Amino acid sequence: MCGIVGAIRSQANVVDFLTDGLKRLEYRGYDSSGIAVFSEQENKIKRVRRVGRVALMEEAVKQKGLTGHIGIGHTRWATHGGVTEPNAHPHISGGLISVVHNGIIENFEAERTRLQALGYEFESQTDTEVIAHSVRHEYDNNSKNLYQAVQTACSRFHGAFAIAVMCHDDPEHMVVARMGCPLLVAFGDDETFIASDVSAVIAFTRRVSYLEDGDIALLSANGIELLIDKDGNQTNRVVKTSELSLASLELGGYSHFMQKEINEQPRAVADTAEIFLDGGFVPQNFGETAPEIFKQINSIKILACGTSYYAALTGKYWLESIAKIRCDVEIASEYRYRDVIADPNELIVTISQSGETLDTMEALKYAQQQGHEYSLSICNVMESALPRASTLAIYTRAGAEIGVASTKAFTTQLVILFGLAVTLGKMRGLVSDDEMVGYADDLRQLPGSIQHALNLEPQLATWAKAFATKPSALFLGRGIHYPIALEGALKLKELTYIHAEAYPAGELKHGPLALVDENMPVVVIAPNDKLLDKVKANMQEVGARGGELFVLSDLDSDFHESDGVHIIRTPRHIGVLSPIVHTIAVQLLSYHVALVRGTDVDKPRNLAKSVTVE
């Protein structure tokens, strides 16, 4: 959540990078933005902040003619204090210290009280202003050294944070610190950049270093001059060349990133499936030590949040039916706060698109503290926190996902979970060679089936018109398709702000049926599998109460349209991978309902792409 950018150049103006970088971080979710630069002409730190889109802030920057060779910028997603200009970043203390910050300072109230007693006046409701005043206090009263001031101030803070600090008295340097929230340093020619995400810097340089938790670094235009790790030791971080494609960050011919990313799923799924099609269903796909670890495990626990949690619920079906291994799925934010019974031979699997989801990261740490030795991260972002903290890691090949509502990240996570199930099943002697060949063929055919589902878009756009005026909707599924119903309801909520719920279809009679009337559209995921007859019976319950049914079925299912029953048939039932194909339909439905309602498809209100706060 939120986004940080910063730059130091030997001579050139940094404002173009700051505004461009913030635009590229808009996908993370935000409600205000701002930049601060040191103006050599006026010998002062100058700042522009605006509520709303970065474009509003950028226009104000142009009107004020901001220039400078060092500066910081930020997009804020409100936590402490409302969406107001005084609460927007950067924050400045006494004209001396300017700060941008991601994360949450958990002890900010105590620090605020301490600083107020020392005479510091607060202009905002944020926890971030505590950082600015604390650094200023240490600088003025103890060190007159920016690096030492930041180091001492950070030792007082509890919580997760990434910060960038610049000082009026030292306009050739910037200090950055990371604890729990992502931050990277990137290197150009006589210029150094910082950002929360590599997408912000990729148009300027591909050479990046990812900071570790506890790192505090002193930066100049020449790069990192000093870096101290969490143990107080001077160290270096590896410089890597990012392989992120600039084209993946552009819309191309699409109207929205979500539309683009929905349509990229045949390629994203095919690229991810290649992991298993090229190398086979072998444990080495998950890491060098995976063969030995997989021999040791007797169960799996998956920790995830949001859409990744629904991917995990789907994966549970595959893992238990194909590999015959017990699998529990837990919401990471709940798991980390309850007493758990640890099993040293249980594999902890974490799933996160960004690899920086704070709740999931903290849940993994908690599991490790309880004695869980084996962990596997499924992630879309190289070098992110979760893979680094895990024993094993495997990356989806979704490419950059800009839309806040996840699409191709979700379907590629499903491919990885399916591959894990087949791999474990093979190792445990439960998947024969013939069955393995069949599973590989299923993966090869999957991109084509997804493309067929994409071709249903005009029909789903027609359905969207009926949904757009409704206050609520129900999504129903059974078995392995129930998590896809959950994902469909989530997408409708995220994109359209229509209240939506999902239930196992058999649960209707236990309460939710009371909601059904002519104003409640009911989406039913009803593929031609062993539960089809059960689903049909549940549909009869809806029809008898006057509910309007929207059925996602298969070409070979025996359904007929009638008054109050609308049917869209996806390609023929493709068996074990059917949930992935039906996901496409619920994505497209929500996208088109959002278009009809005129909501912000790529940046839904109140939401963020990378959730790095609790």
Side-chain angles (χ1 to χ4, degrees):
M1 309 179 99
C2 309
I4 287 176
V5 294
I8 314 172
R9 286 173 160 166
S10 294
Q11 299 294 331
N13 186 13
V14 298
V15 170
D16 63 329
F17 166 76
L18 297 178
T19 54
D20 183 80
L22 291 180
K23 286 179 181 177
R24 295 186 185 278
L25 294 180
E26 285 187 293
Y27 76 94
R28 295 171 70 91
Y30 71 105
D31 43 54
S32 59
S33 62
I35 66 171
V37 300
F38 178 78
S39 170
E40 293 87 349
Q41 292 178 337
E42 300 183 43
N43 189 32
K44 65 184 293 188
I45 295 175
K46 298 189 69 175
R47 171 181 64 183
V48 172
R49 301 178 292 177
R50 291 291 184 272
V51 169
R53 294 302 181 206
V54 171
L56 297 174
M57 186 272 298
E58 182 183 24
E59 183 59 32
V61 167
K62 291 177 181 177
Q63 291 175 1
K64 293 193 175 187
L66 243 61
T67 62
H69 75 278
I70 181 171
I72 51 180
H74 190 266
T75 51
R76 176 178 185 252
W77 186 86
T79 54
H80 296 69
V83 181
T84 66
E85 191 169 305
N87 287 334
H89 299 213
H91 288 282
I92 298 176
S93 179
L96 179 70
I97 300 295
S98 183
V99 174
V100 290
H101 160 230
N102 286 352
I104 289 178
I105 305 300
E106 294 177 353
N107 61 330
F108 86 100
E109 291 177 330
E111 279 294 289
R112 187 182 181 105
T113 300
R114 180 182 72 87
L115 291 162
Q116 285 174 328
L118 292 169
Y120 292 92
E121 296 182 1
F122 284 76
E123 299 175 351
S124 77
Q125 302 163 299
T126 68
D127 56 339
T128 303
E129 197 174 0
V130 162
I131 302 172
H133 291 319
S134 184
V135 172
R136 176 186 163 197
H137 181 75
E138 298 300 332
Y139 183 89
D140 278 342
N141 295 279
N142 297 312
S143 67
K144 293 295 182 181
N145 178 291
L146 181 62
Y147 186 88
Q148 291 178 13
V150 172
Q151 195 174 32
T152 304
C154 284
S155 69
R156 293 181 173 276
F157 304 145
H158 303 156
F161 55 84
I163 63 174
V165 187
M166 66 180 191
C167 178
H168 171 275
D169 294 351
D170 188 5
E172 303 304 319
H173 292 95
M174 180 185 301
V175 178
V176 296
R178 170 191 170 149
M179 180 57 72
C181 293
L183 195 64
L184 62 86
V185 182
F187 312 95
D189 296 327
D190 297 321
E191 56 186 6
T192 302
F193 308 100
I194 64 160
S196 304
D197 189 310
V198 71
S199 61
V201 303
I202 202 68
F204 294 81
T205 181
R206 292 184 176 275
R207 299 174 59 238
V208 299
S209 285
Y210 295 89
L211 298 184
E212 301 280 351
D213 274 356
D215 284 356
I216 302 178
L218 177 68
L219 311 179
S220 71
N222 296 319
I224 299 175
E225 293 192 359
L226 175 65
L227 195 157
I228 303 296
D229 67 15
K230 64 181 180 181
D231 298 318
N233 300 316
Q234 188 169 339
T235 188
N236 296 300
R237 295 297 173 215
V238 175
V239 178
K240 299 178 178 290
T241 300
S242 174
E243 297 180 0
L244 182 65
S245 166
L246 189 59
S248 68
L249 306 177
E250 307 293 346
L251 269 174
Y254 293 97
S255 300
H256 302 94
F257 279 106
M258 184 179 182
Q259 181 190 31
K260 177 175 183 264
E261 288 152 12
I262 288 173
N263 283 276
E264 286 174 342
Q265 285 176 112
R267 171 50 56 193
V269 164
D271 289 345
T272 304
E274 281 180 6
I275 296 171
F276 306 105
L277 297 179
D278 288 350
F281 293 98
V282 295
Q284 288 86 348
N285 290 325
F286 300 87
E288 291 182 6
T289 59
E292 289 305 313
I293 289 175
F294 285 175
K295 289 177 183 177
Q296 302 297 320
I297 63 171
N298 55 24
S299 62
I300 292 173
K301 185 181 296 293
I302 309 180
L303 305 173
C305 303
T307 288
S308 295
Y309 172 70
Y310 298 147
L313 290 177
T314 310
K316 173 183 170 72
Y317 283 91
W318 287 323
L319 286 160
E320 294 193 340
S321 65
I322 296 173
K324 306 298 182 186
I325 189 167
R326 181 170 57 82
C327 178
D328 293 327
V329 179
E330 295 205 40
I331 296 172
S333 59
E334 290 295 313
Y335 173 84
R336 61 181 288 207
Y337 288 117
R338 72 174 184 83
D339 294 330
V340 301
I341 300 173
D343 179 354
N345 293 321
E346 185 171 60
L347 177 67
I348 297 294
V349 177
T350 58
I351 308 176
S352 166
Q353 187 280 142
S354 68
E356 304 284 353
T357 307
L358 184 65
D359 283 324
T360 308
M361 186 70 209
E362 293 301 316
L364 173 60
K365 291 179 183 177
Y366 179 59
Q368 291 169 336
Q369 291 166 2
Q370 303 309 304
H372 286 284
E373 182 179 350
Y374 308 129
S375 56
L376 165 66
S377 169
I378 299 173
C379 180
N380 192 45
V381 180
M382 300 289 288
E383 298 300 323
S384 50
L386 277 165
R388 291 200 306 269
S390 301
T391 318
L392 306 172
I394 187 168
Y395 293 95
T396 57
R397 297 176 179 177
E401 188 178 70
I402 305 301
V404 167
S406 183
T407 52
K408 60 180 180 174
F410 177 72
T411 49
T412 53
Q413 287 169 356
L414 293 178
V415 171
I416 295 293
L417 287 164
F418 176 75
L420 176 63
V422 176
T423 300
L424 290 173
K426 179 185 174 187
M427 286 189 67
R428 293 161 68 88
L430 299 168
V431 173
S432 68
D433 289 344
D434 287 345
E435 287 173 322
M436 189 177 64
V437 169
Y439 288 136
D441 285 341
D442 290 339
L443 279 180
R444 287 191 185 92
Q445 295 173 22
L446 181 59
S449 297
I450 291 174
Q451 186 57 58
H452 285 305
L454 289 169
N455 295 340
L456 300 172
E457 185 169 6
Q459 296 165 258
L460 290 159
T462 299
W463 276 14
K465 296 173 184 176
F467 275 74
T469 59
K470 304 297 185 182
S472 299
L474 280 177
F475 284 72
L476 304 177
R478 295 199 75 152
I480 198 170
H481 293 88
Y482 166 54
I484 307 308
L486 287 165
E487 174 64 6
L490 177 63
K491 284 293 164 284
L492 196 68
K493 284 181 278 197
E494 287 178 316
L495 297 177
T496 73
Y497 318 144
I498 293 174
H499 174 257
E501 297 292 341
Y503 289 92
E507 283 295 292
L508 268 180
K509 56 187 174 292
H510 297 296
L513 202 57
L515 297 171
V516 173
D517 61 18
E518 65 276 7
N519 293 314
M520 175 72 78
V522 180
V523 179
V524 185
I525 301 173
N528 188 18
D529 61 13
K530 63 183 180 181
L531 292 174
L532 180 60
D533 288 340
K534 301 293 185 183
V535 174
K536 286 182 177 180
N538 301 139
M539 289 169 53
Q540 293 292 331
E541 296 169 350
V542 172
R545 274 76 181 179
E548 190 169 12
L549 289 157
F550 295 81
V551 185
L552 295 170
S553 188
D554 300 322
L555 283 176
D556 45 4
S557 293
D558 184 20
F559 279 108
H560 302 283
E561 287 210 9
S562 60
D563 289 342
V565 180
H566 313 280
I567 299 171
I568 292 179
R569 291 179 170 85
T570 61
R572 64 176 180 80
H573 182 55
I574 64 167
V576 70
L577 293 176
S578 173
I580 300 178
V581 175
H582 281 85
T583 296
I584 309 304
V586 297
Q587 291 173 352
L588 285 170
L589 175 61
S590 295
Y591 172 74
H592 280 282
V593 176
L595 293 186
V596 176
R597 289 172 65 89
T599 57
D600 192 334
V601 173
D602 287 333
K603 300 185 252 322
R605 68 188 184 198
N606 305 333
L607 300 181
K609 184 68 174 175
S610 180
V611 186
T612 55
V613 298
E614 186 172 355

